[in-house]
Amino acid sequence: MNLLEVKNICKIYGNGETAVKALKDVSFSVPKGEYVAIVGESGSGKSTLLNMIGALDTPTSGKVLIDGKDIFCMNDKKLTVFRRRNIGFIFQAFNLVPELTVEQNIIFPVLLDYQKPDKKYLEELLAVLNLKERRNHLPSQLSGGQQQRVAIGRALITRPSLILADEPTGNLDSQNSSEVIALLKETSKKYEQTIIMITHNRSIAQTADRVLQVSDGALTDFGRCRE
Ligand SMILES: Nc1ncnc2c1ncn2[C@@H]1O[C@H](COP(=O)(O)OP(=O)(O)O)[C@@H](O)[C@H]1O
Ligand SMILES: [Mg+2]
């Protein structure tokens, strides 16, 4: 079964003369565990598409199914819980809470969901992300690459089936970028997660299982890189 199905998504911002057609009838599906890169020029609609998939915004028309569930048919409360439990977000700006330590930032989504953090899994994540020695540091005491690794930990702690990343290496140098991408790949294979990642970087896109391109709101599927 497909983990994600995007069906005929259209998004129009504004109306009348100033209306912007940001997405034009976009459809695609992604099997469980696949790692998809989304490429395209600035302003082509990539973030709009990712925000629809993560239900951070609603489409003008069309559907998004995650694990067979139509997310826009859920009420706000149900959708919030569904998103928290099933989707991990990683953005270009790391969006860490400055007053919280590395460890506290990572377990934050679990606390938001009134759950207890899985200590063993937290230790495993800290080890995989190479953050064990930084667990009690504040974000301001970390490099950009380390901060993004904390953001990845925070996205993974709830064991989401879907990871949505919008230019996660946009603020990193090439060394840190490769490390972050390698980590994302490794963890997604290990925990059987599906990744949809926007990137400007061609060599990063080439590490994906499949590349989709958005141009002027329309989608082209370049197919699978390796069979
Ligand atoms: N909230 C918004 N209101 C109006 N127009 C928007 C909004 N968000 C994005 N757009 C427009 O939609 C188009 C696609 O934007 P976006 O998805 O952010 O592109 P990308 O991520 O590929 O750079 C652009 O023309 C942008 O100006
Ligand atoms: Mg964008």
Side-chain angles (χ1 to χ4, degrees):
M1 195 177 96
N2 286 320
L3 189 276
L4 171 69
E5 285 186 49
V6 173
K7 294 186 176 174
N8 309 102
I9 290 279
C10 293
K11 178 66 178 180
I12 303 173
Y13 287 113
N15 47 44
E17 298 255 304
T18 56
V20 175
K21 272 192 182 173
L23 292 175
K24 301 167 184 169
D25 198 25
V26 170
S27 299
F28 66 99
S29 50
V30 180
K32 186 174 164 64
E34 194 166 60
Y35 165 25
V36 178
I38 298 183
V39 297
E41 307 212 324
S42 182
S44 56
K46 305 181 297 296
S47 294
T48 302
L49 177 59
L50 206 76
N51 291 347
M52 302 291 143
I53 297 170
L56 297 176
D57 197 355
T58 46
T60 306
S61 60
K63 282 185 183 186
V64 173
L65 282 84
I66 298 176
D67 225 354
K69 291 171 198 80
D70 186 338
I71 58 173
F72 296 112
C73 284
M74 297 179 192
N75 63 32
D76 279 357
K77 208 171 155 189
K78 208 171 156 201
L79 183 57
T80 302
V81 174
F82 180 84
R83 192 197 287 125
R84 202 181 277 151
R85 294 185 182 164
N86 297 281
I87 307 177
F89 292 94
I90 304 166
F91 297 101
Q92 180 172 346
F94 319 125
N95 300 330
L96 302 176
V97 182
E99 297 82 9
L100 299 182
T101 64
V102 163
E103 190 174 329
Q104 290 166 336
N105 265 288
I106 292 178
I107 61 172
F108 195 58
V110 177
L111 303 181
L112 271 183
D113 201 24
Y114 308 104
Q115 310 283 319
K116 273 207 183 114
D118 175 341
K119 289 254 167 62
K120 203 171 146 236
Y121 183 51
L122 173 65
E123 291 309 316
E124 188 178 313
L125 277 180
L126 285 168
V128 173
L129 296 165
N130 200 8
L131 288 169
K132 273 204 176 242
E133 267 115 68
R134 294 281 181 275
R135 63 193 305 152
N136 296 317
H137 284 60
L138 296 172
S140 60
Q141 300 168 318
L142 304 174
S143 72
Q146 288 168 336
Q147 289 185 58
Q148 192 59 306
R149 286 183 344 238
V150 178
I152 292 174
R154 181 185 55 190
L156 295 180
I157 192 76
T158 56
R159 302 175 193 268
S161 49
L162 182 61
I163 307 275
L164 301 178
D166 195 343
E167 308 212 27
T169 62
N171 280 328
L172 304 178
D173 59 34
S174 60
Q175 166 82 25
N176 273 309
S177 296
S178 331
E179 276 177 30
V180 160
I181 296 303
L183 258 173
L184 264 180
K185 265 195 100 160
E186 188 188 325
T187 51
S188 71
K189 292 287 172 252
K190 189 166 179 184
Y191 305 119
E192 264 207 294
Q193 287 154 325
T194 306
I195 302 185
I196 316 280
M197 183 181 65
I198 297 176
T199 181
H200 261 116
N201 186 316
R202 276 184 185 278
S203 58
I204 288 179
Q206 275 162 7
T207 64
D209 298 325
R210 183 174 161 207
V211 180
L212 304 176
Q213 179 172 287
V214 182
S215 356
D216 195 19
L219 190 95
T220 314
D221 190 342
F222 285 129
R224 292 183 170 79
C225 308
R226 295 167 236 101
E227 289 296 336

